[in-house]
Amino acid sequence: MTRLIVWRHGNTDWNAANRVQGQLDISLNDLGREQAASAAPLLAALRPTVIVASDLRRAADTAAALVALTGLPVRTDPRLRERYYGQWQGLTMTEVAQRFPAEHARWRAGEQDPGCEVESLDELGKRVGTALQDAADAVPGGTIVVATHGGGARQGCGYLLGWDSTVLRSVGSLNNCHWTELRHDDVRGWQLRGHNVGLIAHGGPGAGLDHPPPAAI
């Protein structure tokens, strides 16, 4: 059975400010580096076979914390980047709502293509999902840890599971440095085995649902 761990990057100053990162290359902040260092031992205990990461620094630097413990190399894949947010990148969500109210409303409603050059959900899911599938195909029966981004993780996992956008809207966001676990066998295909897994407030592993996640953008 192949195991796929889809790991959201650590916190950034733009997460804290609810500013749209999209595909802009924003670094982890001190909290994000601490989150990555705290999560890495839990993931190392899963005995990963390979580590793959988005080439954006916040994901690649998150993966580096696991590399430091395992000694495994990390392969970067630009297909694992976050959703491209077009004209919204660099703005706070308050600014987006003020400047582009109609498009913001469509985005809030979960429409596939809200406008303003924002990448459609179908395109995002196919792009990230294909990268996840390729990573899994390279090591059948292995454990693959993929450091990526919140929105991309949800749509990419949904692509593998065959879930449509209505189902995905009911799936909560990943907290920073939490992950989704999928497993694959030849009979049942991809199955969801865990979501939003990571460190909870008391310091132990768990579902991580005791506080609301920062913006996954």
Side-chain angles (χ1 to χ4, degrees):
M1 182 175 289
T2 302
R3 179 163 54 178
L4 184 63
I5 307 296
V6 185
W7 187 22
R8 187 186 174 200
H9 63 78
N11 192 259
T12 72
D13 288 341
W14 283 29
N15 285 146
N18 203 26
R19 189 175 294 278
V20 181
Q21 296 176 119
Q23 296 189 2
L24 297 180
D25 200 8
I26 310 304
S27 298
L28 298 177
N29 57 21
D30 288 343
L31 174 59
R33 287 185 285 272
E34 179 182 339
Q35 290 171 331
S38 296
L42 295 178
L43 293 171
L46 301 178
R47 300 179 181 271
T49 311
V50 296
I51 304 170
V52 186
S54 159
D55 62 344
L56 297 179
R57 284 179 292 174
R58 57 192 185 271
D61 289 350
T62 296
L66 183 58
V67 169
L69 291 183
T70 63
L72 293 169
V74 61
R75 176 175 65 82
T76 58
D77 188 335
R79 294 177 297 173
L80 294 168
R81 291 179 181 181
E82 181 59 289
R83 186 179 190 179
Y84 178 64
Y85 273 90
Q87 299 174 47
W88 297 2
Q89 295 189 160
L91 303 177
T92 66
M93 288 309 300
T94 298
E95 292 169 335
V96 169
Q98 292 171 343
R99 299 185 192 184
F100 307 102
E103 292 86 353
H104 180 261
R106 289 198 292 270
W107 174 78
R108 291 280 295 174
E111 292 192 15
Q112 284 284 340
D113 187 0
C116 292
E117 303 173 18
V118 176
E119 184 177 15
S120 76
L121 291 174
D122 281 345
E123 290 170 345
L124 173 63
K126 183 176 181 179
R127 169 169 62 81
V128 177
T130 301
L132 294 176
Q133 185 68 62
D134 288 348
D137 287 345
V139 283
T143 295
I144 304 97
V145 175
V146 179
T148 185
H149 308 265
R154 175 160 54 186
Q155 296 300 134
C157 289
Y159 178 85
L160 294 184
L161 293 164
W163 293 357
D164 64 25
S165 58
T166 302
V167 175
L168 286 175
R169 277 183 59 77
S170 68
V171 177
S173 299
L174 284 174
N175 291 356
N176 286 112
C177 265
H178 284 57
W179 57 89
T180 296
E181 178 177 345
L182 304 180
R183 295 192 190 185
H184 183 276
D185 66 47
D186 292 337
V187 176
R188 299 180 61 186
W190 286 108
Q191 307 156 50
L192 177 66
R193 300 298 293 268
H195 178 65
N196 210 28
V197 180
L199 290 172
I200 57 177
H202 55 66
L209 296 175
D210 55 318
H211 55 87
I217 52 177

